[in-house]
């Protein structure tokens, strides 16, 4: 496993961004684990997080014109990734994010930062059923640009509408790559290497039987 992926798991554990218990997801699925990107709540954590996303982008080779962090959690993710690309990859890319509600004074509108044009790379936390990312693609297209790809922290490896994974459906429907730093399998491997996690692994296995691919 590449170093940046190990760093990401270590960081998620350290900042308690990976929680275990019982969580109702946006899709209505009840999951034994949850990834909360809001827990990366300090300068050092965000800096490290940005480096992990930037490494994943560099490793993927995806080409794009603008980096886009969708509201809300994608905003700091996109910003710290843009900083890391400039600081560590000699790549000063334009960065934009959106507001959830249009502003009717001052500069107005819902897009903040760089103009959305050309190929837009979406930076986000998680894809489960794929609903959120489809809404983001609608925003990009409404602004007259096209998606270049999606970079997420965690691929939950879950079914979409039919047999394919939600991520494969997005890749197929829009003809774009979805790059993830880690997958659920990486988390399970991490837990397997620890002790006294058997009960949690069983609950994750049961969840994967129901919703996994
Ligand atoms: P989908 O729209 O079903 O793909 O869910 C993705 C969104 O759910 C993410 O952008 C998050 O807002 C939220 N989410 C998490 O943040 N972490 C998780 O582990 C799972 C979810 C989720 O609700 O599925």
């Amino acid at each position: 496993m590449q170093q940046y992926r190990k760093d990401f798991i270590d960081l998620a554990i350290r900042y308690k961004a990976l929680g275990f218990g019982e969580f109702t997801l946006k899709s209505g699925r009840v999951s034994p684990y949850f990834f909360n990107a809001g827990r990366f709540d300090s300068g050092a954590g965000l800096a490290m997080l940005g480096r992990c996303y930037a490494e994943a982008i560099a490793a993927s080779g995806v080409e794009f014109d603008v980096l886009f962090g969708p509201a809300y959690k994608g905003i700091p993710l996109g910003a710290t990734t843009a900083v890391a690309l400039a600081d560590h990859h000699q790549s000063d890319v334009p960065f934009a994010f959106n507001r959830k509600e249009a502003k009717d004074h001052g500069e107005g509108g819902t897009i903040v930062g760089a103009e959305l044009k050309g190929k837009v790379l979406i930076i986000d936390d998680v894809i489960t059923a794929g609903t959120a990312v489809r809404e983001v693609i609608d925003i990009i297209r409404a602004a007259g640009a096209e998606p270049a790809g999606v970079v997420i922290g965690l691929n939950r490896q879950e079914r979409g509408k039919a047999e394919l994974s939600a991520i494969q459906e997005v890749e197929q429907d829009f003809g774009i790559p979805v790059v993830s730093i880690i997958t659920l399998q990486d988390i399970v491997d991490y837990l397997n290497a620890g002790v006294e996690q058997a009960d949690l692994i069983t609950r994750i296995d049961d969840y994967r039987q129901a919703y996994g691919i």
Side-chain angles (χ1 to χ4, degrees), residues 24-27 31 33-37 73 124-133 154 156 166:
T24 300
L25 305 183
K26 188 174 159 178
S27 54
S31 169
Y33 77 103
F34 192 81
F35 176 71
N36 181 0
K73 285 188 182 158
D124 214 346
D125 49 3
V126 171
I127 289 180
T128 302
T131 316
V133 73
L154 172 64
R156 292 183 51 105

Side-chain angles (χ1 to χ4, degrees), residues 23-83:
F23 304 90
T24 300
L25 305 183
K26 188 174 159 178
S27 54
R29 298 173 184 178
V30 179
S31 169
Y33 77 103
F34 192 81
F35 176 71
N36 181 0
R39 297 301 287 265
F40 298 105
D41 58 357
S42 82
L46 282 169
M48 192 65 214
L49 193 61
R51 287 209 282 281
C52 294
Y53 274 85
E55 290 280 350
I57 293 170
S60 75
V62 62
E63 293 190 355
F64 62 99
D65 302 304
V66 184
L67 209 55
F68 183 66
Y72 294 101
K73 285 188 182 158
I75 298 175
L77 296 180
T80 189
T81 302
V83 171

Side-chain angles (χ1 to χ4, degrees), residues 1 6 16 29 54 57 60 72 79 95 108-110 113 128 145 149 166 170 177 182:
M1 192 193 287
K6 288 191 195 132
K16 299 190 170 54
R29 298 173 184 178
I57 293 170
S60 75
Y72 294 101
F95 167 63
T110 57
T128 302
V170 168
I182 60 162

